[in-house]
Amino acid sequence: MSLKTRSTQEEAMDTQCVDYDDYARCLRDLSRVNAVTGTHRPTLAWLARHAAPEEAFSLLDIACGHGDCLRAIRKRFPNARLTGIDLNPWATRAATAATPAEARITFINGDAFAYQPDAPIDVFISSQFAHHLSDDAVVRFLAWQSAHAVRGWFVSDLHRHWFPYFGFPLLARVMGWHRFVRTDGQISIARGFVSREWHALLLQAGVKADVRWHVPFRLCVGSP
């Protein structure tokens, strides 16, 4: 497959998973992928620059999946008001089951763009979500975040590059991760972005933001 442009191939988890237990196992393995590859480090670092550890800011995690990013945030920000939202009811069900009540994280099944909170949200984050969107949808997503986040927003996603594209399937097989994780991981990387694409999308959205590369092969976009 050529990596010169973004792939539009659908991921198996989105189209072939028809059983909740199987879906939940897949999400658990995705959370393990995130732990092994340090997926949440850029988000935590960005938050540390924008909020004090004891602050009671509100945060919405868009397409929260298994909720592991929010659980990582809770450890660093004990007073933050944390909410995760996901279109897939199985995701919020699995995230709720995986999250202890004392973590005080709310999970909502729904469309983030239609969500109407009781008060404006201070911070929006998303992790490995943007590559699921078309370019036009990413432009709308960037503009929407910029218009609605009170204090700022941060998007963490994949860098489309040959090294993770060919390397991830080997890692996934060695680790024994779920079959959808093995196949979809490579598809996700092919659906990811390069820096010039993020800059072009930001320009189309009329939004100013920082684009930074993080180890390992993450391209992250956030308000200054």
Side-chain angles (χ1 to χ4, degrees):
M1 171 182 287
S2 172
L3 297 178
K4 290 183 179 179
T5 59
R6 293 186 63 205
S7 171
T8 58
Q9 183 178 353
E10 292 184 331
E11 297 184 20
M13 188 177 173
D14 295 333
T15 59
Q16 299 177 26
C17 193
V18 295
D19 174 79
Y20 167 73
D21 290 334
D22 197 36
Y23 189 86
R25 286 192 294 271
C26 186
L27 283 184
R28 282 195 297 271
D29 276 3
L30 281 173
S31 69
R32 291 168 180 143
V33 173
N34 291 337
V36 169
T37 61
T39 295
H40 305 316
R41 285 199 301 259
T43 302
L44 293 169
W46 182 88
L47 280 173
R49 295 195 300 270
H50 289 78
E54 300 302 320
E55 269 192 86
F57 60 92
S58 59
L59 179 148
L60 180 67
D61 183 2
I62 300 164
C64 61
H66 203 240
D68 46 303
C69 187
L70 289 168
R71 291 190 290 275
I73 291 169
R74 172 57 74 217
K75 293 177 182 178
R76 304 282 188 92
F77 298 92
N79 297 320
R81 299 185 297 279
L82 303 180
T83 303
I85 191 166
D86 202 293
L87 269 176
N88 194 318
W90 285 351
T92 48
R93 176 181 169 186
T96 300
T99 304
E102 57 267 26
R104 295 172 289 110
I105 300 172
T106 301
F107 293 102
I108 298 170
N109 171 227
D111 182 348
F113 300 115
Y115 176 51
Q116 296 184 341
D118 295 333
I121 302 293
D122 291 320
V123 175
F124 292 148
I125 64 167
S126 65
S127 180
Q128 323 309 328
F129 168 59
H131 69 261
H132 289 274
L133 304 176
S134 67
D135 286 0
D136 287 344
V138 171
V139 170
R140 293 194 297 272
F141 180 48
L142 293 170
W144 176 81
Q145 289 184 110
S146 181
H148 290 88
V150 174
R151 294 177 55 174
W153 53 271
F154 189 78
V155 173
S156 175
D157 216 282
L158 300 166
H159 176 200
R160 192 176 73 250
H161 189 278
W162 67 266
F163 188 86
Y165 180 78
F166 290 108
F168 180 79
L170 300 176
L171 173 64
R173 186 170 294 278
V174 168
M175 299 299 291
W177 288 326
H178 193 285
R179 66 191 186 283
F180 286 158
V181 173
R182 294 198 299 268
T183 57
D184 285 356
Q186 194 173 43
I187 295 170
S188 292
I189 292 164
R191 291 182 62 100
F193 304 86
V194 296
S195 182
R196 60 176 170 75
E197 291 168 343
W198 271 123
H199 286 290
L201 293 166
L202 287 164
L203 184 63
Q204 290 180 59
V207 172
K208 292 184 178 180
D210 296 327
V211 180
R212 298 185 180 184
W213 190 89
H214 295 266
V215 175
F217 293 96
R218 294 293 190 278
L219 269 176
C220 300
V221 186
S223 54

